[in-house]
Amino acid sequence: MLRSTTRHMKMHLFMLFAFIVLASAQRRCDQDIEYEKNGECCKMCAPGTRMLRTGSCDEPRCEECGENDYQDTYTTDSKCKRQPYCDPNRNFNRTTHMSKTQETKCKCKLGFHCSSTECITCVPHTVCPPGKGATTEGSHSQDTVCEECPDGTFSNESSWSGVCKAHTKCENDYHIKEAGTSTSDNICEMNSRSHVIGIVLGVLCGIIFFLGIAGVIAYRMKGGAEGNFKEFKNCLNPTGAGEKEPLGEVKVIANPAEEESMLHPEEEGPMVSTPEENDDSQSLDTSLVLGYTFNGQPVQQDMTKTEQLSQEESQSTNL
């Protein structure tokens, strides 16, 4: 019994050893880049190409994929895969296929998402009405998710991407005139005292501003008046000297008879004469004698005293 058991064990060990030897003698093919043909491991064509049937096992003939085709793995296929057509009539963006090793994914237009997992067509996103905001904004693969605006927030528009906004907080010197709701914001109003102070400050600033403008206008008008006066003065005095010209030498014409008696006293002889008083018309005529300056300007001079002195000298000469 013991001998038969030992014999069976030796048999099993021999068979296991033989199986191991046979398995190690046979070469296994790399399933990613090779394929088995007639017990041999043959090479496959690389991604982006297709295999032609005229090649050998070790040196296959591969050709690049054509336009709008692709191949994303090592292959023995003689045809490449076709790129998908992104139809704009189904709300897809127009796509240019640039890769020959990857499949182009069609993308929905902005505001649209795939209608199913296969993404055969695109449908518009859900629009959140006023009072609701988007918690999850719509994308290429999913729709917009809307929710009611919580307390302290609002939304006053219809949008698939708009979110609820916080109510405005009134600053200092302001109070809430009308409280906001889920569809409207807070309305702030200035406090009455601050409102009056603001009005007073505005009035004062306006007065100061207008006074400044009035001062500038008055200053310019004053300067203009002085300039006009100087121009008028220069017109009256063409020489521009601004000073009175001195009177020239006045030539006095005396009475011809008296002048003759003064020059020739011996011809008349001794005689006593009394001075005769001139009437008013003569006094008026002789009191004003016309003379001229060097510039030719007429000058009047009182000659009454000069005439009286001439008469007295004439009397003393006759005596």
mmCIF file of all heavy atoms in Angstrom, residues 181-214:
data_model
loop_
_atom_site.group_PDB
_atom_site.id
_atom_site.type_symbol
_atom_site.label_atom_id
_atom_site.label_comp_id
_atom_site.label_asym_id
_atom_site.label_seq_id
_atom_site.Cartn_x
_atom_site.Cartn_y
_atom_site.Cartn_z
ATOM 1 N N THR A 181 -37.363 91.872 -0.305
ATOM 2 C CA THR A 181 -38.034 90.577 -0.328
ATOM 3 C C THR A 181 -37.171 89.591 -1.118
ATOM 4 O O THR A 181 -36.016 89.881 -1.429
ATOM 5 C CB THR A 181 -39.431 90.709 -0.976
ATOM 6 O OG1 THR A 181 -39.262 91.137 -2.342
ATOM 7 C CG2 THR A 181 -40.275 91.727 -0.231
ATOM 8 N N SER A 182 -37.733 88.459 -1.453
ATOM 9 C CA SER A 182 -36.987 87.475 -2.239
ATOM 10 C C SER A 182 -36.804 87.916 -3.692
ATOM 11 O O SER A 182 -35.976 87.360 -4.409
ATOM 12 C CB SER A 182 -37.703 86.117 -2.202
ATOM 13 O OG SER A 182 -38.998 86.237 -2.781
ATOM 14 N N THR A 183 -37.593 88.932 -4.100
ATOM 15 C CA THR A 183 -37.493 89.432 -5.476
ATOM 16 C C THR A 183 -37.038 90.884 -5.562
ATOM 17 O O THR A 183 -36.938 91.431 -6.666
ATOM 18 C CB THR A 183 -38.853 89.306 -6.180
ATOM 19 O OG1 THR A 183 -39.837 90.060 -5.458
ATOM 20 C CG2 THR A 183 -39.293 87.853 -6.280
ATOM 21 N N SER A 184 -36.770 91.546 -4.428
ATOM 22 C CA SER A 184 -36.357 92.960 -4.444
ATOM 23 C C SER A 184 -35.350 93.216 -3.349
ATOM 24 O O SER A 184 -35.288 92.498 -2.340
ATOM 25 C CB SER A 184 -37.571 93.887 -4.283
ATOM 26 O OG SER A 184 -38.181 93.681 -3.026
ATOM 27 N N ASP A 185 -34.576 94.282 -3.533
ATOM 28 C CA ASP A 185 -33.524 94.666 -2.587
ATOM 29 C C ASP A 185 -34.068 95.672 -1.582
ATOM 30 O O ASP A 185 -35.129 96.269 -1.771
ATOM 31 C CB ASP A 185 -32.347 95.280 -3.362
ATOM 32 C CG ASP A 185 -31.093 95.383 -2.514
ATOM 33 O OD1 ASP A 185 -31.089 94.868 -1.379
ATOM 34 O OD2 ASP A 185 -30.111 95.989 -2.996
ATOM 35 N N ASN A 186 -33.298 95.894 -0.492
ATOM 36 C CA ASN A 186 -33.648 96.934 0.481
ATOM 37 C C ASN A 186 -33.549 98.310 -0.173
ATOM 38 O O ASN A 186 -32.669 98.554 -1.008
ATOM 39 C CB ASN A 186 -32.719 96.879 1.684
ATOM 40 C CG ASN A 186 -32.977 95.675 2.566
ATOM 41 O OD1 ASN A 186 -34.089 95.159 2.606
ATOM 42 N ND2 ASN A 186 -31.948 95.224 3.278
ATOM 43 N N ILE A 187 -34.423 99.227 0.246
ATOM 44 C CA ILE A 187 -34.376 100.622 -0.206
ATOM 45 C C ILE A 187 -33.967 101.473 0.984
ATOM 46 O O ILE A 187 -34.664 101.514 2.004
ATOM 47 C CB ILE A 187 -35.735 101.077 -0.768
ATOM 48 C CG1 ILE A 187 -36.108 100.238 -1.984
ATOM 49 C CG2 ILE A 187 -35.688 102.559 -1.134
ATOM 50 C CD1 ILE A 187 -37.464 100.574 -2.566
ATOM 51 N N CYS A 188 -32.826 102.148 0.884
ATOM 52 C CA CYS A 188 -32.280 102.960 1.973
ATOM 53 C C CYS A 188 -32.657 104.424 1.787
ATOM 54 O O CYS A 188 -32.769 104.907 0.665
ATOM 55 C CB CYS A 188 -30.757 102.812 2.037
ATOM 56 S SG CYS A 188 -30.199 101.107 2.317
ATOM 57 N N GLU A 189 -32.818 105.132 2.933
ATOM 58 C CA GLU A 189 -33.151 106.555 2.908
ATOM 59 C C GLU A 189 -32.316 107.273 3.947
ATOM 60 O O GLU A 189 -32.066 106.742 5.043
ATOM 61 C CB GLU A 189 -34.640 106.761 3.189
ATOM 62 C CG GLU A 189 -35.099 108.204 3.083
ATOM 63 C CD GLU A 189 -36.581 108.338 3.390
ATOM 64 O OE1 GLU A 189 -37.044 107.679 4.359
ATOM 65 O OE2 GLU A 189 -37.271 109.087 2.683
ATOM 66 N N MET A 190 -31.875 108.516 3.640
ATOM 67 C CA MET A 190 -31.055 109.288 4.561
ATOM 68 C C MET A 190 -31.899 109.762 5.747
ATOM 69 O O MET A 190 -33.070 110.116 5.589
ATOM 70 C CB MET A 190 -30.441 110.498 3.838
ATOM 71 C CG MET A 190 -29.513 111.330 4.701
ATOM 72 S SD MET A 190 -28.860 112.762 3.807
ATOM 73 C CE MET A 190 -27.765 111.957 2.671
ATOM 74 N N ASN A 191 -31.291 109.753 6.934
ATOM 75 C CA ASN A 191 -31.971 110.269 8.116
ATOM 76 C C ASN A 191 -32.289 111.748 7.950
ATOM 77 O O ASN A 191 -31.589 112.480 7.243
ATOM 78 C CB ASN A 191 -31.108 110.057 9.353
ATOM 79 C CG ASN A 191 -30.869 108.574 9.624
ATOM 80 O OD1 ASN A 191 -31.703 107.736 9.271
ATOM 81 N ND2 ASN A 191 -29.742 108.257 10.225
ATOM 82 N N SER A 192 -33.353 112.232 8.638
ATOM 83 C CA SER A 192 -33.827 113.617 8.456
ATOM 84 C C SER A 192 -32.756 114.629 8.833
ATOM 85 O O SER A 192 -32.509 115.601 8.126
ATOM 86 C CB SER A 192 -35.088 113.847 9.286
ATOM 87 O OG SER A 192 -34.829 113.598 10.666
ATOM 88 N N ARG A 193 -32.078 114.458 9.984
ATOM 89 C CA ARG A 193 -31.053 115.410 10.416
ATOM 90 C C ARG A 193 -29.898 115.438 9.434
ATOM 91 O O ARG A 193 -29.426 116.505 9.035
ATOM 92 C CB ARG A 193 -30.553 115.038 11.798
ATOM 93 C CG ARG A 193 -29.518 116.007 12.350
ATOM 94 C CD ARG A 193 -29.097 115.593 13.744
ATOM 95 N NE ARG A 193 -28.064 116.488 14.263
ATOM 96 C CZ ARG A 193 -27.469 116.325 15.438
ATOM 97 N NH1 ARG A 193 -27.834 115.308 16.213
ATOM 98 N NH2 ARG A 193 -26.532 117.166 15.826
ATOM 99 N N SER A 194 -29.462 114.293 9.031
ATOM 100 C CA SER A 194 -28.362 114.243 8.067
ATOM 101 C C SER A 194 -28.791 114.832 6.732
ATOM 102 O O SER A 194 -28.002 115.481 6.039
ATOM 103 C CB SER A 194 -27.907 112.793 7.866
ATOM 104 O OG SER A 194 -27.492 112.232 9.094
ATOM 105 N N HIS A 195 -30.066 114.663 6.411
ATOM 106 C CA HIS A 195 -30.570 115.224 5.158
ATOM 107 C C HIS A 195 -30.516 116.746 5.191
ATOM 108 O O HIS A 195 -30.100 117.399 4.229
ATOM 109 C CB HIS A 195 -31.993 114.728 4.931
ATOM 110 C CG HIS A 195 -32.585 115.162 3.639
ATOM 111 N ND1 HIS A 195 -32.080 114.747 2.426
ATOM 112 C CD2 HIS A 195 -33.624 115.993 3.360
ATOM 113 C CE1 HIS A 195 -32.787 115.291 1.449
ATOM 114 N NE2 HIS A 195 -33.728 116.051 1.996
ATOM 115 N N VAL A 196 -30.931 117.338 6.350
ATOM 116 C CA VAL A 196 -30.894 118.805 6.479
ATOM 117 C C VAL A 196 -29.464 119.311 6.433
ATOM 118 O O VAL A 196 -29.151 120.311 5.773
ATOM 119 C CB VAL A 196 -31.591 119.228 7.786
ATOM 120 C CG1 VAL A 196 -31.402 120.720 8.037
ATOM 121 C CG2 VAL A 196 -33.079 118.891 7.731
ATOM 122 N N ILE A 197 -28.559 118.625 7.125
ATOM 123 C CA ILE A 197 -27.154 119.051 7.122
ATOM 124 C C ILE A 197 -26.587 118.984 5.707
ATOM 125 O O ILE A 197 -25.860 119.870 5.257
ATOM 126 C CB ILE A 197 -26.333 118.170 8.083
ATOM 127 C CG1 ILE A 197 -26.780 118.428 9.528
ATOM 128 C CG2 ILE A 197 -24.845 118.451 7.930
ATOM 129 C CD1 ILE A 197 -26.115 117.513 10.541
ATOM 130 N N GLY A 198 -26.958 117.942 4.992
ATOM 131 C CA GLY A 198 -26.481 117.824 3.613
ATOM 132 C C GLY A 198 -26.986 118.957 2.738
ATOM 133 O O GLY A 198 -26.258 119.512 1.914
ATOM 134 N N ILE A 199 -28.266 119.343 2.941
ATOM 135 C CA ILE A 199 -28.818 120.447 2.149
ATOM 136 C C ILE A 199 -28.098 121.748 2.474
ATOM 137 O O ILE A 199 -27.733 122.535 1.590
ATOM 138 C CB ILE A 199 -30.331 120.565 2.402
ATOM 139 C CG1 ILE A 199 -31.057 119.343 1.846
ATOM 140 C CG2 ILE A 199 -30.880 121.845 1.774
ATOM 141 C CD1 ILE A 199 -32.529 119.324 2.143
ATOM 142 N N VAL A 200 -27.887 122.028 3.799
ATOM 143 C CA VAL A 200 -27.208 123.270 4.203
ATOM 144 C C VAL A 200 -25.803 123.323 3.626
ATOM 145 O O VAL A 200 -25.357 124.354 3.100
ATOM 146 C CB VAL A 200 -27.182 123.375 5.739
ATOM 147 C CG1 VAL A 200 -26.319 124.545 6.173
ATOM 148 C CG2 VAL A 200 -28.601 123.546 6.283
ATOM 149 N N LEU A 201 -25.077 122.220 3.740
ATOM 150 C CA LEU A 201 -23.721 122.199 3.185
ATOM 151 C C LEU A 201 -23.743 122.414 1.673
ATOM 152 O O LEU A 201 -22.891 123.122 1.119
ATOM 153 C CB LEU A 201 -23.048 120.869 3.519
ATOM 154 C CG LEU A 201 -22.698 120.635 4.993
ATOM 155 C CD1 LEU A 201 -22.118 119.244 5.186
ATOM 156 C CD2 LEU A 201 -21.713 121.689 5.494
ATOM 157 N N GLY A 202 -24.730 121.830 1.011
ATOM 158 C CA GLY A 202 -24.824 122.030 -0.429
ATOM 159 C C GLY A 202 -25.103 123.480 -0.794
ATOM 160 O O GLY A 202 -24.512 124.039 -1.722
ATOM 161 N N VAL A 203 -25.999 124.129 -0.009
ATOM 162 C CA VAL A 203 -26.299 125.552 -0.276
ATOM 163 C C VAL A 203 -25.075 126.417 -0.040
ATOM 164 O O VAL A 203 -24.747 127.316 -0.830
ATOM 165 C CB VAL A 203 -27.482 126.011 0.596
ATOM 166 C CG1 VAL A 203 -27.670 127.510 0.483
ATOM 167 C CG2 VAL A 203 -28.759 125.291 0.171
ATOM 168 N N LEU A 204 -24.361 126.173 1.077
ATOM 169 C CA LEU A 204 -23.161 126.966 1.371
ATOM 170 C C LEU A 204 -22.105 126.788 0.281
ATOM 171 O O LEU A 204 -21.479 127.767 -0.154
ATOM 172 C CB LEU A 204 -22.590 126.552 2.729
ATOM 173 C CG LEU A 204 -23.416 126.964 3.961
ATOM 174 C CD1 LEU A 204 -22.773 126.414 5.229
ATOM 175 C CD2 LEU A 204 -23.534 128.481 4.052
ATOM 176 N N CYS A 205 -21.917 125.586 -0.136
ATOM 177 C CA CYS A 205 -20.935 125.359 -1.206
ATOM 178 C C CYS A 205 -21.352 126.080 -2.487
ATOM 179 O O CYS A 205 -20.521 126.661 -3.187
ATOM 180 C CB CYS A 205 -20.798 123.859 -1.467
ATOM 181 S SG CYS A 205 -20.019 122.932 -0.117
ATOM 182 N N GLY A 206 -22.657 126.073 -2.770
ATOM 183 C CA GLY A 206 -23.128 126.791 -3.957
ATOM 184 C C GLY A 206 -22.908 128.284 -3.854
ATOM 185 O O GLY A 206 -22.483 128.940 -4.812
ATOM 186 N N ILE A 207 -23.174 128.870 -2.643
ATOM 187 C CA ILE A 207 -22.967 130.313 -2.459
ATOM 188 C C ILE A 207 -21.497 130.670 -2.628
ATOM 189 O O ILE A 207 -21.138 131.650 -3.299
ATOM 190 C CB ILE A 207 -23.493 130.744 -1.079
ATOM 191 C CG1 ILE A 207 -25.020 130.615 -1.035
ATOM 192 C CG2 ILE A 207 -23.079 132.173 -0.759
ATOM 193 C CD1 ILE A 207 -25.608 130.857 0.338
ATOM 194 N N ILE A 208 -20.625 129.875 -1.989
ATOM 195 C CA ILE A 208 -19.186 130.160 -2.103
ATOM 196 C C ILE A 208 -18.740 130.053 -3.555
ATOM 197 O O ILE A 208 -17.950 130.875 -4.051
ATOM 198 C CB ILE A 208 -18.395 129.174 -1.221
ATOM 199 C CG1 ILE A 208 -18.701 129.448 0.262
ATOM 200 C CG2 ILE A 208 -16.896 129.295 -1.477
ATOM 201 C CD1 ILE A 208 -18.107 128.414 1.205
ATOM 202 N N PHE A 209 -19.264 129.095 -4.246
ATOM 203 C CA PHE A 209 -18.890 128.928 -5.652
ATOM 204 C C PHE A 209 -19.304 130.136 -6.482
ATOM 205 O O PHE A 209 -18.516 130.691 -7.249
ATOM 206 C CB PHE A 209 -19.544 127.651 -6.178
ATOM 207 C CG PHE A 209 -19.309 127.401 -7.637
ATOM 208 C CD1 PHE A 209 -18.073 126.956 -8.084
ATOM 209 C CD2 PHE A 209 -20.322 127.607 -8.557
ATOM 210 C CE1 PHE A 209 -17.852 126.727 -9.433
ATOM 211 C CE2 PHE A 209 -20.116 127.380 -9.899
ATOM 212 C CZ PHE A 209 -18.876 126.947 -10.334
ATOM 213 N N PHE A 210 -20.569 130.595 -6.312
ATOM 214 C CA PHE A 210 -21.050 131.724 -7.111
ATOM 215 C C PHE A 210 -20.360 133.025 -6.710
ATOM 216 O O PHE A 210 -20.109 133.889 -7.553
ATOM 217 C CB PHE A 210 -22.559 131.859 -6.967
ATOM 218 C CG PHE A 210 -23.319 130.833 -7.757
ATOM 219 C CD1 PHE A 210 -24.039 129.834 -7.120
ATOM 220 C CD2 PHE A 210 -23.292 130.840 -9.144
ATOM 221 C CE1 PHE A 210 -24.724 128.883 -7.846
ATOM 222 C CE2 PHE A 210 -23.983 129.882 -9.883
ATOM 223 C CZ PHE A 210 -24.693 128.910 -9.224
ATOM 224 N N LEU A 211 -20.034 133.185 -5.399
ATOM 225 C CA LEU A 211 -19.290 134.381 -4.990
ATOM 226 C C LEU A 211 -17.903 134.406 -5.629
ATOM 227 O O LEU A 211 -17.407 135.465 -6.041
ATOM 228 C CB LEU A 211 -19.173 134.420 -3.464
ATOM 229 C CG LEU A 211 -20.449 134.774 -2.694
ATOM 230 C CD1 LEU A 211 -20.200 134.698 -1.204
ATOM 231 C CD2 LEU A 211 -20.945 136.174 -3.085
ATOM 232 N N GLY A 212 -17.275 133.261 -5.692
ATOM 233 C CA GLY A 212 -15.967 133.210 -6.343
ATOM 234 C C GLY A 212 -16.058 133.595 -7.807
ATOM 235 O O GLY A 212 -15.233 134.351 -8.330
ATOM 236 N N ILE A 213 -17.087 133.095 -8.493
ATOM 237 C CA ILE A 213 -17.259 133.453 -9.908
ATOM 238 C C ILE A 213 -17.522 134.945 -10.062
ATOM 239 O O ILE A 213 -16.968 135.615 -10.942
ATOM 240 C CB ILE A 213 -18.411 132.635 -10.514
ATOM 241 C CG1 ILE A 213 -18.016 131.149 -10.568
ATOM 242 C CG2 ILE A 213 -18.757 133.127 -11.909
ATOM 243 C CD1 ILE A 213 -19.114 130.259 -11.095
ATOM 244 N N ALA A 214 -18.372 135.505 -9.150
ATOM 245 C CA ALA A 214 -18.668 136.939 -9.227
ATOM 246 C C ALA A 214 -17.419 137.777 -8.995
ATOM 247 O O ALA A 214 -17.196 138.802 -9.653
ATOM 248 C CB ALA A 214 -19.746 137.300 -8.208
#
